[in-house]
Amino acid sequence: MCGIVGYIGDKQAAPILLDGLSKLEYRGYDSAGIAVFDGSRIIMEKVMGRLKVLDELTEGGKTMPGISGIGHTRWATHGSPSDTNAHPHFNKEHSIVVVHNGIIENYSKLKKKLERKGYEFVSETDTEVLVHLLTEYYDGNPVAAIEKVMRRVEGSYALGIMFKDHPHHIYAARKDSPLIVGQSSMGNLIASDVPAILKYTRSVYYMENEEIVCLSKENIRFYNIDGEALVKEPVTIDWDIDAAEKGGYEHFMLKEIYEQPKAVRDTISPRLKNGEVVIEELGMTDEEIRHTRKIIIIACGSAYHAGVTGKYILEGMARIPVEVDLASEFRYRNPIYEEGTLAIIISQSGETADSLAALREARNHGVRVLGIVNVVGSSIAREADNVMYTWAGPEISVATTKAYSAQLAALYLLAMKFAKVRETITQEEFAELQKDLEKIPEQIEQLLGMKEKIQRFANRYLAADHMFFIGRGIDYAISLEGSLKLKEISYIHSEAYAAGELKHGTISLVEEGTLVVALATQEKVYSKTISNIVEVKTRGAFVMAVTNEGHEEIEKTADYVIYIPKTNAYFANSLAIIPLQLFAYYVSLGRGLDVDKPRNLAKSVTVE
Ligand code: M6R
């Protein structure tokens, strides 16, 4: 979603803003703009399209002098992508300028009122009401005007604001959209995410909801919505900018696929101690684990798919009922909350608007919430009762890979912990699981070795119109993720189906040459899946099967087979997903698409 950067210091602002915005490109955007105070007035450039257009237009920022400014990459919500709708937005006098991330839900009511007062709107955006409201309330005190605006608007926002008659300050505010403040020796910064400012500082403040900040070259002052000064402590970012760079890979996605052994190892190792699963951050006593009556897993997209796997594993291993829900459904479905329910919110970014709202919904009903989150200090991490971090490191590609794998690893640990405490598995079974769990990183490495083979296969399907992914049980969960990975970056229509369900309608779409990817890693239902493969083959499908080593007889049925190393059936997802990620990557690459920044998508979905 939109990205915000702001800077005030002793260096020229525009190149810093452009550089910061380039580090936020992964979030997804369709236009970009910057505004700087040039010594006598606020000047602005904004254009539709890629950041490089803005970069060329301003000669890397050189044509825009000034040591303070704000910048923005826009992912269109209200109003199509265009130069006019791009941020920043000025008031008529060009004395106040705003960049905004989020959605102002009551904008049309506010717009009508402002129009009645004579304010003229030039864009189709919801953001423009903010700049006119600020103009309406501004009487020389920026913080007071921002407070008043915050009280009038409904929805979510992270804001960067400049006032022409306060040239030595930039301002920011947030509610339900991420915003951080960086403190450095060359000045101070605001940004939507850490990579934008990591080159300049490791010292970062996380803004909370309804906070305002005023930055000058030397000072950072925080206020609450009542204008009272706040004392906040910075945190030190302990990862390196290299972690957020491509490091010689053609795309972030490929780099992140290759980082999966490490992401899984880093998530598992600190929690396996002396033959036990130790998850201190779970904050639950054995008694509380034993008395947990139900788990609700809530998430979006791939994190939801990890949750679907989690349901099979937690129910199978720990014999505890698990519901899995899409956050956008959960938050409005009026669920039944029983005593002894644990809600688990899974999120890479920790900022997904629907997941955050679902978390609040559950907490408001007295449900304990555990966050499984990748981004340290993110909103979900801060608002959950407890947080279990996945240690995947920064993930930049819109299509998640390593964070998804780390989420699976976290769920395995959780299921093993619950199973052990609830005595639903024996000590021997636990020891076996632990042995298999520890092997996963090197087995992933082994699978990465088949990248050329997958690329050759992918190249045969560059012109495909649609595909199917089928499987049963955990294989169905893998299908969901394999299918999403493919469609989001290749734009080939693809559906995931529970293999046994296909014949209830969807099989009518299978015709001569349709590619069906069949997951057959679950021994319990292996023969059933084979029957489903035969069904689609009979209708002319070309079948690529993913199964366990030792099932070579499948070659009599499937047209193309990928074998995964032996592991416990519960952990098969971690291995079977690797060829599917590589397949999606190479199809996208072969079709000449923007692998890391697929159209219409954003990395962090901070609006509903
Ligand atoms: O940051 P989150 O894990 O909460 O994001 C959830 C989804 O938006 C995300 O997994 C999305 O589906 C990815 N593009 C999938 O690759």
Side-chain angles (χ1 to χ4, degrees):
M1 301 262 118
C2 312
I4 288 178
V5 181
Y7 169 74
I8 182 157
D10 35 45
K11 303 261 182 277
Q12 193 190 350
I16 293 173
L17 298 176
L18 289 170
D19 176 64
L21 291 177
S22 74
K23 302 291 188 307
L24 298 178
E25 279 192 286
Y26 72 90
R27 296 168 70 87
Y29 69 103
D30 41 57
S31 56
I34 53 177
V36 296
F37 183 74
D38 76 351
S40 59
R41 66 205 166 112
I42 301 172
I43 53 171
M44 176 174 82
E45 290 290 358
K46 54 181 187 171
V47 282
M48 186 175 135
R50 289 286 170 210
L51 197 57
K52 80 172 193 311
V53 184
L54 182 67
D55 196 76
E56 279 162 20
L57 184 75
T58 63
E59 294 173 24
K62 282 201 213 98
T63 61
M64 297 180 79
I67 54 170
S68 61
I70 51 179
H72 190 264
T73 43
R74 172 175 188 253
W75 188 83
T77 56
H78 293 62
S80 54
S82 70
D83 290 357
T84 313
N85 289 335
H87 298 212
H89 289 282
F90 261 137
N91 63 354
K92 191 170 164 207
E93 300 73 26
H94 288 201
S95 58
I96 302 177
V97 69
V98 171
V99 291
H100 166 221
N101 178 9
I103 290 181
I104 304 303
E105 286 166 3
N106 58 341
Y107 88 100
S108 76
K109 205 164 85 192
L110 292 170
K111 183 174 174 180
K112 277 189 203 125
K113 286 190 181 163
L114 286 160
E115 277 173 337
R116 279 202 291 275
K117 289 189 165 210
Y119 289 93
E120 279 168 35
F121 283 73
V122 292
S123 77
E124 303 159 302
T125 65
D126 52 334
T127 302
E128 211 184 329
V129 297
L130 294 166
V131 74
H132 296 316
L133 271 181
L134 282 165
T135 310
E136 176 73 10
Y137 290 132
Y138 182 63
D139 62 1
N141 180 344
V143 172
I146 296 169
E147 276 169 38
K148 286 186 186 140
V149 172
M150 287 164 79
R151 290 187 195 285
R152 288 295 302 279
V153 299
E154 289 161 18
S156 59
Y157 50 82
L159 303 175
I161 310 166
M162 291 170 76
F163 294 81
K164 185 177 159 218
D165 52 2
H166 287 264
H168 304 299
H169 296 101
I170 60 172
Y171 297 84
R174 83 152 256 181
K175 180 175 166 271
D176 293 342
S177 258
L179 200 66
I180 56 165
V181 177
Q183 186 175 40
S184 92
S185 54
M186 50 160 266
N188 294 315
L189 304 111
I190 56 168
S192 300
D193 199 0
V194 175
I197 58 172
L198 200 51
K199 191 164 161 186
Y200 313 106
T201 183
R202 289 180 173 279
S203 179
V204 161
Y205 296 89
Y206 286 94
M207 286 189 71
E208 300 289 344
N209 270 347
E210 303 199 320
E211 286 183 357
I212 303 166
V213 66
C214 166
L215 283 75
S216 67
K217 196 166 120 182
E218 298 90 7
N219 292 310
I220 300 174
R221 295 207 168 88
F222 291 98
Y223 303 91
N224 65 16
I225 196 168
D226 297 320
E228 293 158 349
L230 299 172
V231 180
K232 288 173 76 80
E233 288 302 317
V235 296
T236 305
I237 303 298
D238 60 4
W239 46 271
D240 244 24
I241 192 68
D242 297 356
E245 302 280 355
K246 278 191 212 151
Y249 286 88
E250 199 178 339
H251 293 101
F252 280 111
M253 183 176 176
L254 191 61
K255 174 180 177 246
E256 288 159 6
I257 287 175
Y258 270 79
E259 285 172 344
Q260 290 182 105
K262 178 169 166 18
V264 173
R265 197 175 285 123
D266 289 354
T267 301
I268 292 172
S269 317
R271 288 151 176 151
L272 281 183
K273 290 180 189 151
N274 310 320
E276 293 297 328
V277 173
V278 182
I279 316 176
E280 275 150 18
E281 63 274 39
L282 187 59
M284 290 175 84
T285 62
D286 285 1
E287 204 49 21
E288 285 169 329
I289 291 176
R290 270 192 287 273
H291 285 104
T292 302
R293 306 229 316 246
K294 183 169 93 177
I295 292 178
I296 313 180
I297 302 180
I298 310 157
C300 304
S302 296
Y304 168 77
H305 298 158
V308 176
T309 306
K311 173 182 166 69
Y312 287 110
I313 297 170
L314 278 154
E315 285 190 341
M317 241 191 245
R319 306 306 299 146
I320 184 162
V322 180
E323 279 174 29
V324 203
D325 212 344
L326 293 162
S328 52
E329 289 297 310
F330 177 86
R331 63 183 292 192
Y332 296 117
R333 87 167 151 92
N334 195 14
I336 297 162
Y337 298 99
E338 295 163 45
E339 223 188 296
T341 299
L342 170 70
I344 302 178
I345 310 279
I346 308 177
S347 175
Q348 186 285 128
S349 63
E351 300 293 350
T352 302
D354 284 321
S355 304
L356 185 58
L359 176 153
R360 290 177 183 156
E361 169 71 20
R363 288 203 73 209
N364 285 343
H365 286 85
V367 173
R368 177 199 278 264
V369 174
L370 170 71
I372 296 184
V373 177
N374 196 44
V375 176
V376 176
S378 56
S379 300
I380 293 175
R382 293 202 307 272
E383 291 193 30
D385 293 292
N386 299 91
V387 56
M388 182 175 178
Y389 280 112
T390 48
W391 297 116
E395 191 179 62
I396 307 297
S397 176
V398 165
T400 180
T401 51
K402 62 173 181 170
Y404 169 79
S405 285
Q407 286 161 358
L408 292 176
L411 288 162
Y412 301 157
L413 289 163
L414 213 56
M416 285 169 67
K417 173 83 190 168
F418 271 65
K420 183 81 188 297
V421 172
R422 293 162 72 93
E423 296 176 10
T424 50
I425 53 173
T426 62
Q427 185 53 43
E428 292 67 40
E429 285 167 330
F430 182 84
E432 281 303 309
L433 283 165
Q434 186 175 334
K435 249 199 311 196
D436 284 340
L437 186 64
E438 283 175 313
K439 274 195 232 150
I440 293 175
E442 66 182 69
Q443 290 176 321
I444 295 178
E445 255 152 40
Q446 194 183 325
L447 284 159
L448 290 171
M450 61 166 68
K451 91 177 202 312
E452 277 84 17
K453 180 179 168 182
I454 304 277
Q455 182 169 19
R456 279 195 299 276
F457 183 73
N459 284 341
R460 288 161 57 179
Y461 281 91
L462 303 183
D465 288 328
H466 70 145
M467 294 185 193
F468 287 95
F469 287 71
I470 60 169
R472 289 168 176 260
I474 288 177
D475 283 335
Y476 170 55
I478 306 171
S479 302
L480 288 169
E481 178 58 9
S483 170
L484 177 64
K485 218 68 318 159
L486 179 82
K487 68 185 138 196
E488 71 179 324
I489 59 169
S490 75
Y491 315 152
I492 294 174
H493 171 250
S494 150
E495 276 192 56
Y497 248 78
E501 181 64 13
L502 208 58
K503 57 183 159 299
H504 296 286
T506 308
I507 203 165
S508 66
L509 291 171
V510 174
E511 55 190 359
E512 200 59 40
T514 304
L515 178 63
V516 175
V517 179
L519 279 301
T521 71
Q522 302 296 298
E523 296 297 338
K524 254 185 7 200
V525 286
Y526 177 77
S527 60
K528 305 283 172 202
T529 306
I530 295 293
S531 306
N532 299 132
I533 295 177
V534 173
E535 284 162 11
V536 292
K537 286 271 318 159
T538 314
R539 272 91 189 165
F542 186 93
V543 174
M544 165 168 123
V546 181
T547 190
N548 307 325
E549 279 170 1
H551 269 311
E552 283 70 19
E553 78 290 340
I554 202 171
E555 291 178 27
K556 288 191 213 124
T557 317
D559 301 285
Y560 190 85
V561 184
I562 304 236
Y563 295 100
I564 62 162
K566 283 217 159 61
T567 186
N568 188 290
Y570 286 127
F571 304 151
N573 192 340
S574 290
L575 305 184
I577 198 61
I578 306 298
L580 304 189
Q581 293 169 341
L582 287 168
F583 177 66
Y585 172 77
Y586 283 116
V587 172
S588 176
L589 187 74
R591 285 165 72 103
L593 300 172
D594 193 344
V595 177
D596 286 332
K597 297 189 280 289
R599 69 183 179 205
N600 304 338
L601 293 181
K603 179 68 180 163
S604 183
V605 184
T606 51
V607 295
E608 293 201 41

